[in-house]
Each structure stands twice: as C-alpha cells, then as structure tokens.
Amino acid sequence: MILVLGDSLSAEYGLKRGEGWVPLLEKRLAQQKIAASVVNASISGDTSSGGRARFPALLTQHKPTHVVLELGANDALRGLPLTNTEDNLLQITKAAQAAGARVLIVGIQVPPNYGGDYTRRFEAVFAKVAGATKSALVPFLLKGVADAPDAMTLFQADRIHPTAAAQPQILDNVWLELRKLLPK
C-alpha cells in the first residue's frame, strides 16, 4: 500500500476528482499490473508540521509499504524556518522507515522572489533529508511544468496550482523514482 502524504499539489486542488497525479498513479499501477493500492492522505494547505502530527495515526491505520512524502511548499510560502521543515520531514521519514515502509521524498522549489539564498537552502532540504535517511528523491515535483516554455498555460489562475493538463507530467516525475521502489 502506497500512502501519499502531501499538500494541495497532491490533493487535487482546483481539479475535478480523478484528474490529479495520485489518481493517475492508481491507473498506472493497474495498467502495469502492479498490485498496490494508494491512499491519498494529502490536505490542501498542509505544512510539514501538520503532516508530522497526522502521520502516526496514518501509519497505524494504513500500514503502508511505501510513503510518498510531498510536503514543504506551504512551509516556504509561510516563511517558516527551514530547520523546522527539515526536522519534520526527517521525523516523518524515520517513522515510516521504522514501520518498514520505503520512502520517496518529493522536492519542490520556491519562486526566485524569496531570494537566492533562501531558494537554494529550501531546495537543499529535500536532498539533505533523502541523503540522511537513504530515501529515494524526486528533486522537483514540477519539473517539466514550472520550467516548461508554456508554463503559464499549465497553471490555474492562481499561478501556484497546476492544471489537469500538467498532471501526467507530474506523475511521470514521481513515477521515475517510485517505480524503482516497487516490486518488479
């Protein structure tokens, strides 16, 4: 069982149910005849501390074999200390691993208006946690979306949340690393 612990980028914010990358993941697993169910425990607006608070109950309830950890974007948008984000992601990952789950950490980047130093340090948090826990890593969830030549057409009017048209690319970004963790 794959548990996705994320924020609005995984919770289908502004999309019709079934259009987001997580439901597309379920379809891909079925198409490739990989026997794995998916639970989407993502909540729009969630921070790493919110995910950390919810995680023990999710572990107990679902007993996942894999955890896709996609949190941190809202920490940055709220200007929360990077040390807190890093610690929260580290503790979630360690708890998942202690329960026997393999973890895929999904990184995100913030716009450059946060300043070069903050932008670099924020991006590095995900790789740092993945390295410290020997977890798999997707460096940038929105690769091929936010940096696409036609990027603005792939975002909703808020310029934060990807459209339905962007979801297959987002799934491909996650799938590239997640597939390596799943049974052959």
Side-chain angles (χ1 to χ4, degrees), residues 12 25 27 30 33-34 41 43 60 75 89 92 95 98 123 159:
E12 295 187 296
L25 170 61
K27 291 176 183 164
K33 296 179 177 29
I34 298 170
I43 297 177
T60 301
D75 296 38
L89 296 177
I92 293 168
E123 184 179 344
R159 295 181 160 192

Side-chain angles (χ1 to χ4, degrees), residues 74-99:
N74 290 308
D75 296 38
L77 291 175
R78 294 175 188 182
L80 300 176
L82 294 177
T83 53
N84 293 6
T85 303
E86 183 178 331
D87 184 56
N88 290 328
L89 296 177
L90 190 62
Q91 296 310 316
I92 293 168
T93 302
K94 286 181 175 181
Q97 291 173 331

Side-chain angles (χ1 to χ4, degrees), residues 6-78:
D7 52 34
S8 58
L9 298 173
S10 298
E12 295 187 296
Y13 179 89
L15 304 174
K16 292 180 194 157
R17 290 296 145 240
E19 288 183 339
W21 75 265
V22 178
L24 295 178
L25 170 61
E26 291 179 281
K27 291 176 183 164
R28 184 168 292 176
L29 289 165
Q31 288 166 347
Q32 297 201 8
K33 296 179 177 29
I34 298 170
S37 58
V38 179
V39 171
N40 193 351
S42 301
I43 297 177
S44 292
D46 207 3
T47 60
S48 63
S49 63
R52 181 177 178 179
R54 294 187 304 117
F55 194 60
L58 292 167
L59 264 181
T60 301
Q61 180 182 357
H62 300 292
K63 297 176 179 33
T65 56
H66 298 79
V67 173
V68 177
L69 180 52
E70 182 274 306
L71 287 170
N74 290 308
D75 296 38
L77 291 175
R78 294 175 188 182

Side-chain angles (χ1 to χ4, degrees), residues 71-73 75-76 79-87 89 105 107-112 114-130 137 139:
L71 287 170
D75 296 38
L80 300 176
L82 294 177
T83 53
N84 293 6
T85 303
E86 183 178 331
D87 184 56
L89 296 177
I105 296 171
I108 193 71
Q109 296 174 6
V110 292
Y114 284 79
D117 181 57
Y118 185 88
T119 301
R120 282 187 297 280
R121 289 187 310 120
F122 178 74
E123 184 179 344
V125 163
F126 303 98
K128 192 172 176 184
V129 172
L137 174 68

